[in-house]
Amino acid sequence: MFLVIFLYIAFLAFIGFSLKKAYDFAKMPMHGRWELYPVPKEKGRGEYGGSYLEETKWYEKPRETSLVAEIIDMAKEIIFIKKLFDNQRPFWWLSYSMHLGIYAMIAWLVLLFLAVFIDSSLLNGLIALAGGAGIIMVMIGSIGLLIKRMVNPEFKMYTTGLEYFNLFFLFAVAFTGFLCFITDPMFQYGHDMMGSMLTFFPFAPSALVTLHLVLAGAVIIYIPLTKMSHYVGKFFSFHKVLWDNDPYLPGNEIAEKVAAGKSYKQKGQWSAPHYPGNQKIEN
Amino acid sequence: MSKPQDVQLSTPNLADYMELPAPYNTIESQPALKEPKGSWTESNITFLDGYAGIENLVRPKTKEEEREFVEKFLSGMEKSFSDDTNRGMIMPLLLSFEYCAKCHTCSEGCHVYPASGYNELYRPIYRSEVFRRIAKKYLDKDGKLIKKWDENDPDLNWETLARLAELAYRCNLCRRCAQQCPLGLDNALLAKEIRKIFSQEMGIAPKPLHEKGTMNQLKTGSSTGMSKPAFLDVIEFIEEDIEEKTGRKIKMPIDKKGADILLIHNAGEFMAWPQNPAAFAILFEEAGLDWTLSSDILGYDSVNYGLWYDDYQAKQIGTGQFKVAKELGVNRIIIGECGHAHRASMVSMDRGATGSYYVPRESFLPLLWDLVRTGKLKFDPSKNNFPVTLHDPCNYVRSMGIVKPQREILKVIAPQFREMTPHGVDNYCCGGGGGFAIMNNLNFAEFRNTLSTRMKFKQILDAFADTIENTEIPKYICAPCSNCKGAIRDILEYYGATAKYNLQYDGLVELMVNGLASLDRPYLEFLLDEED
């Protein structure tokens, strides 16, 4: 039962810490414009990197944006990690293996949840496929990245101890999961775990499964506390910085935010001599 | 980075650099590199890579001075991570600071790093990582300073910071690396934030940007030091020049209250390329626009160097420029051929210096394309019947999304127009971005001419590969940005490419005027020379 409670805590911690991170970014002051093209939402222009600034008197014309184009671009990035695929193929194979494996493990959890309510051999087959493929891909991806970072001087030079640990942690979860998978290819332990989580009926996992689930729970708590929470950061980097090209127009939402921001009284000051009041008096 | 100052981390060597295309594909065909002057090595920071660009970054004489220097940097770093003192950039900074996965996707996006033969110092994340490691050591997770400098810290001393300061000026801030980052992170932003700490906290910045740049502009009205009387003289000279070159008597409107357009040029054009403001005047008059120039302080120079190194200076200048337009009562500001001025005025200052000073700002490019498209300007493209390529200023394309108008114009006026590879939003920086074009101090120009502009020079040579050896044919590099034009001028001079291979450069408006159907003689100097 402790394991079930721990897993609940892990999921709640994951959601809570991730939301806290998102909240911390969201409440930051409105920043200066720092957009970077192509901005996919620019209707009819996103593909070649154009913007509304290509128009004369753009401020008198209606803004035309395309949510569909933005979603397609986001989907390519989320599903395929497209920028990495286009620009850094050797690294993409390993990174994509790991990320796709994580997606498969999320799908595995959803399928296990459905299996509590639906008794279907197809569903059970899909659970085995998603779980097996997911765990193998995470394992290959994480150990591959770990080795690459350890042996390739280009990567080794920039990788910190914590970054090695993060990859090792993911590998440890995947490896114990893999050992569970080869002893239980249909993931009976997964069914039992999900059943127990929904009914609070105790289940008795083996020592290996217990170890795997404890590690998995720990990594789920750990991820949002580290830079592996880039699923949060990436949203803000793209949506709130690189694709945020909304202009100031008198009376619009940006103008209201700018006006609101002006009431802020700065407490500190930079110290260079060209700041007012910082000039040194020469004797 | 913390190695003693008698250790230079890398030595410039042409043999290591990216190979240039023919006819510059041998080391002998390129000018030899020069040793830095002894005085620079002694007083300045050539111990990063043999180059120095910051005059007032000088060695502390005592241990106390070193302590003061390092602690000031740390205090500036704390201000950089504060949502009180860095409100306008805290979110972008934290994102780029926190999430780098070190996948090196950015490395190939950079032009300096491959051009250097993959010198580690120039890898986009190298400086970011040095900065990151110092910050992680001395700041807590909320960005608060957690300890004072430890003199025995093996990683942080005067040498580390001096190298970091110079290294912040080895990035053109072109943001091509950020375009490729799968996490949307921006090493150019980190380079700029490092520059900001040195400038805003320590008063350390390259003289051409700060003392002779923004400070001079705030004092005299222009980064060139041009005062109002001097500006009025120049305008008179340009009017005479227009008449001499075209036979047209044009009175350039100055301080015309209530005009539709306030046109602001990079004042460098008045000094170095007066044919550019002249070309604007010819086109605007021919199209019958209601326009004016301003002779007010900050009204006749669109530049805003603060964009590259100091937010405070940027805001001062931006606000001043908007105020001029507001007082003139114009409907809109049109920015002439200057990439960073475009971005400063239309994007960077948009949320910081507008408010009560709000005046709509536009690029000259869509305006001119409108005049071409609607037939208000008529052309005889045969007048421009020579190979033309277009350099895309990063600020227009990557930072503003102005990609099509300039190409549409060129397709109409230049029958032999050909693109560089890559181009548009994927272009490479001219190598003069981020302030480099005007940094001719110490021995920095050699870094620019050999390394930061190298990729652009390669692109230019590739674009004209079919005619490069034919010196009879002029080959025109259209660089519609004052700083890019300056960087390209310097490459052509450095390699002797105009004299040897008839490689010519100028802006877009000069090419447009040259192609005007109504003009009975060439406008471009090199065509006049040919006629002679």
Side-chain angles (χ1 to χ4, degrees), chain A residues 32-35 37 51 54 59 88 149 154 158 163 227 234 246 248 264 267-269 272 274 276, chain B residues 79 84 88 100-104 120 123 175 182 186 200 310 312 350-351 362 398 400-401 403-404:
Chain A
R33 281 172 65 179
W34 195 257
E35 67 238 41
Y37 293 86
S51 79
E54 290 186 322
Y59 38 84
Q88 177 66 296
R149 289 194 176 278
E154 190 182 19
Y158 292 92
E163 287 156 349
K227 71 174 185 178
K234 197 166 176 168
D246 293 340
Y248 178 107
Y264 179 79
K267 296 167 201 80
Q269 164 135 316
H274 58 277
Chain B
K79 288 173 189 170
D84 176 51
C100 178
K102 297 160 193 175
C103 64
H104 296 316
E120 205 59 41
R123 188 191 283 278
R175 306 179 71 205
D186 195 338
Q200 296 187 174
D310 193 305
Y312 175 71
D350 191 42
R351 295 172 183 173
E362 290 180 48
R398 207 161 9 253
M400 299 179 73
V403 182
K404 261 196 177 167

Side-chain angles (χ1 to χ4, degrees), chain B residues 4 15 47 54 68 71 94 100 124 140 150-151 180 258 294 351 356 372 375 389 420 427 491 509:
Chain B
F47 57 82
I54 312 174
E68 195 189 338
E71 288 189 346
L94 282 181
C100 178
D140 67 11
D150 170 7
E151 286 181 19
Q180 306 205 348
S294 165
R351 295 172 183 173
S356 53
V372 174
T389 193
M420 291 188 193
N427 80 318
I491 319 177
V509 285

Side-chain angles (χ1 to χ4, degrees), chain B residues 456-529:
Chain B
K456 184 51 61 182
F457 192 41
K458 177 183 183 305
Q459 281 193 289
I460 291 169
L461 294 171
D462 284 339
F464 295 129
D466 55 341
T467 52
I468 191 79
E469 303 277 4
N470 187 341
T471 55
E472 296 297 310
I473 302 174
K475 293 155 279 278
Y476 188 87
I477 306 147
C478 173
C481 160
S482 196
N483 282 356
C484 300
K485 204 159 65 179
I488 288 168
R489 171 197 59 195
D490 291 353
I491 319 177
L492 299 184
E493 276 176 19
Y494 185 78
Y495 290 99
T498 301
K500 288 182 196 160
Y501 301 105
N502 205 354
L503 276 171
Q504 307 288 343
Y505 78 96
D506 223 325
L508 177 64
V509 285
E510 294 88 332
L511 194 64
M512 289 179 77
V513 170
N514 195 63
L516 276 180
S518 59
L519 218 66
D520 56 9
R521 60 191 102 160
Y523 186 73
L524 296 169
E525 289 287 334
F526 61 87
L527 296 177
L528 285 170
D529 294 346

